[in-house]
């Protein structure tokens, strides 16, 4: 952990103290910065990354708002780019959580730039498009973004928060989510930022939806591989390489690995996440089982209003 007396971080901490804040409990407080809400822990590091992170043109950025399928995207992208690096039985995904295979800009790289030397070009982030470190856009590196129906994102986040931090009433969590007070939220603004950028720069930004990935994993996997400049060859197709990747990264397979049943992610961080919290049930439409009809209507209404004329829908 960095030295708390570090002058650079002190500067960010001072800046954060001047920002609009939401919440009472220091563990849950959110700060509004560049129109999005962040926890103190992430915001210090995002500010640091904005100033110091240097992207390389060969980097491939995996971006998402939390609970939209990040873990799955990391596993798939990692499998694609390392498919000729290991024997099947030695694949790091069998013994490490996908989040431990791809460095995270806000934490791993903000504090420790050498963490990027992992023999693959993947880097992940939850930073909204508008707040990305400038070098990510300037370097021309590729960005892959994944998003998901807001109703399922909300339920997934609520269940995650209850498991990892403390139980919070559904109604209270729902009000916060609808008001945009969601880690890295407002969620739909996060999505729209990347959506608009992907329309402007389709060769640089690949925009994916969790629902499409579930419905047709194979064609989305091929799109991903091609976008990353590593399409499957005819020989690989004949040898079933893409099928193997899909199986390796499937919810059923990953969630049943010992590392994901009993391991922990970032044991040194203020909040340690058990790896099994990243795998709940991995279904589309599970929000139906948790939201009242009014809640569903309310979120559908917000979605309709926010996404109107954008060309995006869920
Ligand atoms: P649910 O809570 O709806 O089950 P993130 O990875 O961005 O934190 O998102 C977590 C969501 O992705 C959780 O959704 C989790 O179950 C689901 N998920 C994790 N791994 C997955 C996989 N391999 N395939 C499909 N969904 C997966």
């Amino acid at each position: 952990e960095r030295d708390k007396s570090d002058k650079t971080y002190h500067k960010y901490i001072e800046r954060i103290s001047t920002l609009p804040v939401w919440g009472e409990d220091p563990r849950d407080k959110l700060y509004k910065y560049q129109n999005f809400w962040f926890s103190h822990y992430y915001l210090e590091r995002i500010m640091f990354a904005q100033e110091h992170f240097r992207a390389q043109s060969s980097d491939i950025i995996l971006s998402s708002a939390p609970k939209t399928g990040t873990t799955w995207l990391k596993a798939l992208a990692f499998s694609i780019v390392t498919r000729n690096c290991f024997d099947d039985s030695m694949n790091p995904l069998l013994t490490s959580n996908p989040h431990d295979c791809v460095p995270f800009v806000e934490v791993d790289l903000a504090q420790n730039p050498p963490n990027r030397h992992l023999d693959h070009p993947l880097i992940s982030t939850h930073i909204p498009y508008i707040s990305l470190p400038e070098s990510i856009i300037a370097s021309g590196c590729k960005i892959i973004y994944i998003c998901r129906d807001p109703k399922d994102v909300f339920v997934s986040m609520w269940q995650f928060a209850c498991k990892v931090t403390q139980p919070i009433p559904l109604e209270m969590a729902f009000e916060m989510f609808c008001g945009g007070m969601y880690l890295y939220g407002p969620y739909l603004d996060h999505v729209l930022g990347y959506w608009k950028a992907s329309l402007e720069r389709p060769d640089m930004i690949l925009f994916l939806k969790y629902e499409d990935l579930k419905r047709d994993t194979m064609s989305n996997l091929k799109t991903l591989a091609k976008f990353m400049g590593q399409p499957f060859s005819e020989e690989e197709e004949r040898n079933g390489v893409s099928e193997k990747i899909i199986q390796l990264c499937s919810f059923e397979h990953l969630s049943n690995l010992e590392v994901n049943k009993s391991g922990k992610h970032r044991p040194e961080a203020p909040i340690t996440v058990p790896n099994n919290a990243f795998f709940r049930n991995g279904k589309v439409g599970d929000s139906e089982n948790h939201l009242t009809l009014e809640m569903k209507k309310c979120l559908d209404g917000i979605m309709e209003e926010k996404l109107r004329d954008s060309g995006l829908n869920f």
Side-chain angles (χ1 to χ4, degrees):
E1 178 70 0
R2 69 182 163 75
D3 180 359
K4 288 281 178 207
S5 66
D6 182 294
K7 284 206 174 61
T8 317
Y9 268 92
H10 197 251
K11 175 173 86 182
Y12 305 132
I13 292 167
E14 277 191 352
R15 202 187 302 164
I16 294 171
S17 70
T18 66
L19 296 175
V21 60
W22 188 91
E24 305 278 316
D25 186 334
R27 287 171 304 176
D28 304 330
K29 273 187 183 174
L30 292 174
Y31 299 82
K32 194 173 192 182
Y33 176 64
Q34 299 178 342
N35 288 329
F36 286 86
W37 293 95
F38 305 94
S39 68
H40 203 290
Y41 178 79
Y42 285 127
L43 190 48
E44 286 174 39
R45 289 158 176 80
I46 288 169
M47 288 174 164
F48 184 93
Q50 285 183 325
E51 208 168 356
H52 298 282
F53 178 67
R54 298 284 168 265
Q56 297 170 3
S57 58
S58 55
D59 289 340
I60 299 176
I61 313 288
L62 307 180
S63 185
S64 59
K67 303 295 125 204
T68 57
T70 319
T71 315
W72 194 16
L73 176 63
K74 284 183 185 179
L76 291 170
F78 179 81
S79 302
I80 291 170
V81 297
T82 62
R83 67 188 186 262
N84 296 317
C85 300
F86 320 104
D87 290 341
D88 289 351
S89 63
M90 299 299 283
N91 194 306
L93 286 170
L94 298 175
T95 48
S96 305
N97 179 269
H99 294 284
D100 293 324
C101 295
V102 179
F104 186 48
V105 172
E106 291 89 309
V107 181
D108 303 308
L109 300 180
Q111 286 178 54
N112 196 358
N115 280 348
R116 69 155 53 243
H117 300 298
L118 295 180
D119 296 330
H120 67 69
L122 305 175
I123 287 176
S124 72
T125 186
H126 286 319
I127 301 178
Y129 187 77
I130 192 180
S131 300
L132 283 174
E134 268 175 33
S135 69
I136 290 186
I137 311 294
S139 68
C141 66
K142 291 191 172 175
I143 300 176
I144 300 167
Y145 184 73
I146 188 162
C147 66
R148 188 181 187 189
D149 184 309
K151 299 186 288 299
D152 285 347
V153 172
F154 163 68
V155 167
S156 183
M157 188 59 172
W158 171 61
Q159 297 263 343
F160 181 83
C162 289
K163 183 163 188 168
V164 171
T165 49
Q166 53 188 327
I168 154 168
L170 178 71
E171 294 69 22
M172 187 180 157
F174 184 77
E175 286 214 350
M176 283 173 65
F177 186 76
C178 291
M181 265 77 78
Y182 162 78
L183 199 56
Y184 293 88
Y187 172 65
L188 284 173
D189 291 348
H190 199 289
V191 175
L192 278 172
Y194 281 93
W195 169 247
K196 288 177 186 157
S198 75
L199 296 179
E200 282 162 21
R201 305 168 63 218
D203 48 331
M204 305 313 291
I205 304 174
L206 177 67
F207 189 93
L208 299 174
K209 286 187 203 160
Y210 180 87
E211 292 76 12
D212 293 341
L213 209 50
K214 285 290 280 192
R215 187 177 38 78
D216 186 352
T217 312
M218 181 59 80
S219 77
N220 279 280
L221 182 79
K222 288 183 182 167
T223 305
L224 258 175
K226 198 167 165 206
F227 182 78
M228 290 195 277
Q230 303 194 24
F232 295 108
S233 66
E234 280 182 17
E235 192 189 345
E236 285 179 314
E237 297 283 15
R238 275 196 303 279
N239 292 337
V241 173
S242 41
E243 282 85 355
K244 267 196 212 159
I245 291 180
I246 291 174
Q247 204 284 326
L248 170 72
C249 301
S250 69
F251 180 89
E252 291 68 27
H253 182 247
L254 288 183
S255 61
N256 280 304
L257 292 171
E258 197 49 46
V259 63
N260 293 324
K261 286 202 280 192
S262 56
K264 288 188 167 69
H265 177 56
R266 285 193 215 296
E268 74 294 347
I271 296 176
T272 299
V273 180
N275 286 341
N276 64 19
F278 292 111
F279 304 91
R280 195 176 60 93
N281 62 21
K283 294 201 169 112
V284 170
D286 182 53
S287 52
E288 298 276 343
N289 300 318
H290 299 275
L291 301 184
T292 62
L293 201 57
E294 288 76 55
M295 287 172 166
K296 186 177 169 301
K297 275 192 195 153
C298 176
L299 267 184
D300 283 340
I302 293 176
M303 218 179 346
E304 203 182 307
E305 193 187 315
K306 280 257 184 189
L307 302 185
R308 188 176 297 141
D309 301 330
S310 70
L312 177 64
N313 52 50
F314 288 96

